[in-house]
Amino acid sequence: VTALGGGTIRDLALGVRPIFWIADPYYVHTAVGAALATFVIARFWELPQTVLLVADAFGLALFTMIGVEKSLAAEASPTIAIFLGVVTGVGGGLIRDVLSGEIPLVFRKTIYLYATAAFCGARLFLVLGHFFPGRPANRLIAVATILVLRLAAIRWKLGLPMYQPRSTDI
């Protein structure tokens, strides 16, 4: 669910048929293999929390960029491509958390620039594409931006300001 959920939402929103993992079962095999490897590693070795957070940051960066590019290839507008890039990056984890009865990670106060990092990288990719069309470095810069923002946010506990409602006293 985590590996395939966001891309499934993206493909459904774009009307892409068949959905990517149905068209190519290699994605399912890869996701199951990664899940089994993670299960075995976590069962026999105690990994520091930072290892999983860094791996997740890489996944967020890569899946977001895949989502933006696939949306653009399906002729979505730049605004929709950004939105679907973020959905591709965060959607699988959101579905996972809902299915396991937890507050989705992306909605937790302590997540630190998760969807925001994905949004910034997706937007930067489109800006770079406007000024430097077709350059492979655009993708790398955008992925690096997501990664650096997310890792810096984890390291220094950076987040957006929290909404503070006004007093309801009359």
Side-chain angles (χ1 to χ4, degrees):
V1 168
T2 306
L4 306 175
T8 300
I9 295 169
R10 178 205 58 235
D11 282 3
L12 289 171
L14 291 171
V16 173
R17 298 290 188 269
I19 294 170
F20 74 101
W21 55 267
I22 293 172
D24 185 357
Y26 176 76
Y27 291 103
V28 176
H29 301 152
T30 302
V32 169
L36 289 173
T38 302
F39 177 79
V40 169
I41 290 168
R43 176 92 168 111
F44 296 107
W45 294 283
E46 188 170 335
L47 297 174
Q49 184 67 22
T50 54
V51 170
L52 295 175
L53 289 172
V54 169
D56 184 67
F58 273 96
L60 174 66
L62 294 173
F63 288 145
T64 298
M65 195 52 43
I66 289 168
V68 172
E69 290 186 315
K70 186 157 186 182
S71 298
L72 291 172
E75 299 183 3
S77 72
T79 300
I80 299 305
I82 292 169
F83 174 76
L84 290 176
V86 174
V87 166
T88 304
V90 305
L94 195 144
I95 295 169
R96 175 205 58 223
D97 293 343
V98 168
L99 290 175
S100 63
E102 296 181 21
I103 295 172
L105 191 66
V106 71
F107 296 146
R108 294 182 199 170
K109 188 181 197 177
T110 57
I111 191 56
Y112 308 119
L113 298 185
Y114 200 81
T116 304
F119 172 83
C120 290
R123 180 68 183 123
L124 178 62
F125 178 71
L126 289 172
V127 168
L128 290 170
H130 177 76
F131 290 107
F132 309 103
R135 295 211 178 149
N138 296 351
R139 180 181 307 112
L140 295 174
I141 292 167
V143 166
T145 298
I146 297 168
L147 191 58
V148 167
L149 283 173
R150 179 69 181 122
L151 293 176
I154 291 167
R155 171 69 177 95
W156 291 296
K157 298 182 181 352
L158 304 174
L160 296 176
M162 296 297 292
Y163 171 74
Q164 298 295 326
R166 294 182 183 165
S167 175
T168 57
D169 295 337
I170 296 178

